[in-house]
């Protein structure tokens, strides 16, 4: 074939443009791929929250990570504005506080933030999804406080020290204790602690085994009253009851089959320990035998029994009322 020697003709020896940006244009049309998630973009606030949560998980160690996976560990989260505020007011040794981003602040939140700033408690701002995962579905109101394991005083030592103050004339009202026999629901424990605080009780006593402990659920139900009322552990509850009786404390058990109805509780004005049994089984046989009186709360015959925490609240109110009457007559 004859060679093309026409003026201005160009013989092409390779594909693609020799000049211009045509090849670059084809590459730009390919795009940059899918948009990264917000938490993977360094400039986004979700990325900062993710880093803070990851740092917290590493510092908390395997035990805390197990709890996030759904298993209970020794560390607890106090959730809800009232409970968190009450815990902070008592200088509880908190480890971290989690605050939801863009939270609507009220007086409680402002006091919480001022307190953690003053006490130099690390505050982590996290997203709503993160705080809901941390609190495992509990009602948190946008704030959660991580606290160390609750330190239970010994029941014998605690009650003895309180009775020593009473006998030494350092207390205006007789001591009032509540002992729990077979209460396994931490929400019942929290509600009872709240009632003990409301009616000027000094302590709650729980058995070391087969009993509810001070968990985040108990903290929440007590609305922070755990910070004001000590919860003591008894290795043997019946032995502690014997010790209390030797020190001049009258022991009253609550049971639906009690031989004394609550309005006739004459022992209310004395140093007193109210023993609350479980809703289903009531008081154990040996504990009931050790009580000076077994008291029942009169209720409508259509209702078989009262919730343990409700029964405790009614009994403590009546004790407080009778003590008030006695004080007014002096």
């Amino acid at each position: 074939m004859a060679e093309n020697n026409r003026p201005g003709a160009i013989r092409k020896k390779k594909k693609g443009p020799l000049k211009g940006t045509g090849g670059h244009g084809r590459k730009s049309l390919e795009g940059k791929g899918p948009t990264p998630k917000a938490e993977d973009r360094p400039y986004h606030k979700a990325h900062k929250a993710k880093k803070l949560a990851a740092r917290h998980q590493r510092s908390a160690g395997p035990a805390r990570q197990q709890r996030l996976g759904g298993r209970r560990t020794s560390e607890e989260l106090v959730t809800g504005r009232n409970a968190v505020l009450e815990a902070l007011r008592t200088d509880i040794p908190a480890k971290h506080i989690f605050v939801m981003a863009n939270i609507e602040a009220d007086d409680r939140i402002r006091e919480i933030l001022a307190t953690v700033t003053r006490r130099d408690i690390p505050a982590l701002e996290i997203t709503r999804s993160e705080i809901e995962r941390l609190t495992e579905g509990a009602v948190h109101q946008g704030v959660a406080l991580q606290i160390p394991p609750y330190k239970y005083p010994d029941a014998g030592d605690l009650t003895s020290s309180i009775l020593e103050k009473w006998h030494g004339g350092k207390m205006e009202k007789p001591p009032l204790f509540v002992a729990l026999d077979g209460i396994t629901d931490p929400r019942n424990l929290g509600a009872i602690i709240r009632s003990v605080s409301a009616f000027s009780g000094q302590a709650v006593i729980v058995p070391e085994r087969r009993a509810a402990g001070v968990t985040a659920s108990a903290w929440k139900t007590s609305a922070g009253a755990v910070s004001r009322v000590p919860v003591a552990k008894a290795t043997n509850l019946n032995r502690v009851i014997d010790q209390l009786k030797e020190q001049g404390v009258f022991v009253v058990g609550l049971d639906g089959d009690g031989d004394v109805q609550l309005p006739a509780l004459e022992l209310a004005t004395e140093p007193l320990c109210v023993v609350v049994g479980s809703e289903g089984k009531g008081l154990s046989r040996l504990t009931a035998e050790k009580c000076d009186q077994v008291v029942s709360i009169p209720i409508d015959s259509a209702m078989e029994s009262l919730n343990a925490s409700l029964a405790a609240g009614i009994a403590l109110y009546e004790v407080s009322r009778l003590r008030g009457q006695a004080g007014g007559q002096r």
Side-chain angles (χ1 to χ4, degrees):
M1 181 180 295
E3 185 176 353
N4 186 0
N5 292 322
R6 290 180 294 113
I10 299 175
R11 186 174 182 84
K12 297 181 179 180
K13 295 183 179 180
K14 63 178 181 179
K15 296 181 180 180
L18 295 177
K19 294 182 179 180
T21 59
H24 293 231
R26 283 197 303 273
K27 185 178 294 185
S28 66
L29 292 175
E30 295 176 1
K32 299 181 180 179
T35 302
K37 296 180 180 178
E39 60 186 20
D40 294 330
R41 287 178 256 167
Y43 53 83
H44 200 282
K45 65 180 182 180
H47 178 74
K48 179 182 177 182
K50 180 181 178 182
K51 288 179 65 178
L52 288 172
R55 187 188 311 159
H56 167 65
Q57 272 192 303
R58 288 194 299 270
S59 64
R64 181 63 186 158
Q65 293 174 22
Q66 286 179 359
R67 188 180 189 278
L68 295 179
R71 285 173 285 175
R72 180 181 168 194
T73 68
S74 59
E75 292 184 345
E76 293 289 346
L77 284 174
V78 178
T79 62
R81 301 185 183 193
N82 287 335
V84 169
L85 184 55
E86 287 291 343
L88 289 172
R89 282 173 174 171
T90 57
D91 291 332
I92 190 169
K95 303 179 82 173
H96 294 86
I97 188 167
F98 300 93
V99 181
M100 187 176 70
N102 301 319
I103 189 172
E104 184 177 347
D106 58 10
D107 290 341
R108 293 169 297 176
I109 289 295
R110 284 187 280 271
E111 184 176 345
I112 287 170
L113 295 178
T115 303
V116 298
T117 300
R118 185 178 68 253
R119 292 178 50 189
D120 199 25
I121 298 172
L124 306 178
E125 184 182 69
I126 58 178
T127 62
R128 176 182 290 273
S129 60
E130 274 293 321
I131 198 168
E132 288 180 351
R133 183 175 67 86
L134 286 170
T135 56
E136 299 177 354
V139 179
H140 53 74
Q141 298 176 302
V143 63
L145 185 72
Q146 184 188 354
I147 60 174
Y150 185 81
K151 294 182 179 180
Y152 299 88
D154 177 75
D157 293 342
L158 178 64
T159 53
S160 294
S161 64
I162 293 172
L163 288 166
E164 186 176 340
K165 292 179 182 179
W166 163 249
H167 293 306
K170 298 179 181 179
M171 294 174 61
E172 294 182 1
K173 295 182 179 180
L176 175 60
F177 309 114
V178 174
L180 307 184
D181 180 24
I183 302 296
T184 57
D185 188 339
R187 291 170 297 182
N188 271 339
L189 171 60
I192 291 170
I193 294 170
R194 189 173 185 177
S195 294
V196 172
S197 175
F199 298 115
S200 304
Q202 275 72 45
V204 174
I205 303 168
V206 297
E208 190 172 291
R209 300 169 58 189
R210 294 186 293 276
V214 181
T215 64
S217 180
W219 264 100
K220 175 70 175 179
T221 312
S222 78
V226 178
S227 61
R228 298 187 298 274
V229 177
V231 179
K233 272 194 174 179
T235 306
N236 187 310
L237 180 60
N238 290 316
R239 192 177 302 152
V240 171
I241 289 175
D242 287 336
Q243 177 182 323
L244 289 172
K245 294 173 72 173
E246 291 172 1
Q247 294 174 314
V249 177
F250 289 93
V251 179
V252 172
L254 292 183
D255 196 280
D257 297 326
D259 50 4
V260 176
Q261 287 196 346
L262 189 60
L265 181 57
E266 297 178 354
L267 298 176
T269 56
E270 303 294 334
L272 194 65
C273 177
V274 178
V275 186
V276 183
S278 65
E279 182 178 349
K281 298 180 180 178
L283 297 173
S284 62
R285 180 188 58 82
L286 184 56
T287 301
E289 290 176 356
K290 289 183 176 293
C291 293
D292 296 300
Q293 286 184 343
V294 177
V295 179
S296 63
I297 299 174
I299 58 175
D300 192 288
S301 58
M303 179 65 65
E304 292 184 1
S305 64
L306 294 174
N307 173 275
S309 60
L310 179 58
I314 293 172
L316 291 172
Y317 165 76
E318 185 66 11
V319 170
S320 178
R321 188 184 69 83
L322 293 172
R323 287 185 172 187
Q325 285 184 351
Q329 293 172 359
R330 291 196 183 101

